[in-house]
Amino acid sequence: MAGKRDWLDAGLALLAEHGAPSVTIERLTERLGLSKGSFYHHFKGMSGFRTALLGHFEAERTTRFVEQADAAGEDRLGALLKLVLAPGPGPELEIAVRAWALQDAEARAVQERVDRTRVAYLTEVSGDPDLARALYLIVVGAGQVVPPLPGRQLKNALELVLGRRK
């Protein structure tokens, strides 16, 4: 039987692949091969699921990154950049959440909180609010261009701003 996290992971995958309108009970049950009853065992409805999905996005793509970078010790900025550049969900998920935030007040509130948290953490680890904003804008912008900037080019851009380019 699928747990709550399985449903949320499937929701993030659908969101990244097809956008917020694609995240429906029907598509979720189809993706997981489960019944609607299983969905309702974990969530009271789509409204509750969407709230949980936004929380899961924030936990996976912000809180977890901060915790892992903090655990790295002295070079938290380097550890954070490795996490951002690591293989995994690409910019599609970030783009989908930002698009959702343009149309939904709850998604917008979460996106605003995520952005504030990320920039505040970058400021803390870099010691420079201007550098923090520049790094964040590069990462966000790299995902918005079509096609998104490949990981190597994103790494080069970040290193250029950090003065680490060889």
Side-chain angles (χ1 to χ4, degrees):
M1 180 172 188
K4 188 174 186 176
R5 183 180 179 96
D6 296 311
W7 287 100
L8 294 170
D9 287 343
L12 288 181
L14 279 172
L15 182 60
E17 292 166 14
H18 306 289
S22 74
V23 182
T24 64
I25 295 173
E26 291 74 21
R27 287 186 119 171
L28 288 163
T29 56
E30 180 181 310
R31 180 169 286 245
L32 292 172
L34 297 168
S35 69
K36 287 183 182 181
S38 177
F39 174 87
Y40 285 108
H41 174 76
H42 296 287
F43 307 98
K44 295 192 184 298
M46 278 310 291
S47 176
F49 179 79
R50 287 190 174 109
T51 297
L53 185 63
L54 288 165
H56 187 57
F57 165 75
E58 183 174 12
E60 287 298 304
R61 302 291 298 175
T62 301
T63 307
R64 181 175 61 84
F65 282 21
V66 167
E67 289 169 352
Q68 289 181 349
D70 278 345
E74 288 184 32
D75 187 17
R76 294 184 297 165
L77 182 57
L80 183 61
L81 294 178
K82 284 181 185 175
L83 289 166
V84 168
L85 295 168
E92 299 84 11
L93 180 58
E94 296 284 334
I95 292 167
V97 174
R98 287 184 187 284
W100 187 9
L102 293 173
Q103 303 168 359
D104 180 89
E106 183 179 16
R108 181 179 178 85
V110 170
Q111 185 64 67
E112 287 176 357
R113 185 172 60 243
V114 162
D115 286 343
R116 277 194 313 273
T117 301
R118 291 172 176 177
V119 172
Y121 187 72
L122 279 167
T123 299
E124 178 185 326
V125 300
S126 72
D128 183 341
D130 292 330
L131 176 60
R133 281 188 293 278
L135 292 171
Y136 193 60
L137 290 173
I138 289 169
V139 171
V140 171
Q144 297 294 318
V145 295
V146 178
L149 204 62
R152 185 79 192 118
Q153 290 178 8
L154 173 57
K155 183 176 189 257
N156 289 344
L158 292 168
E159 287 175 345
L160 182 65
V161 169
L162 289 168
R164 295 182 181 176
R165 193 117 189 233
K166 295 177 174 118

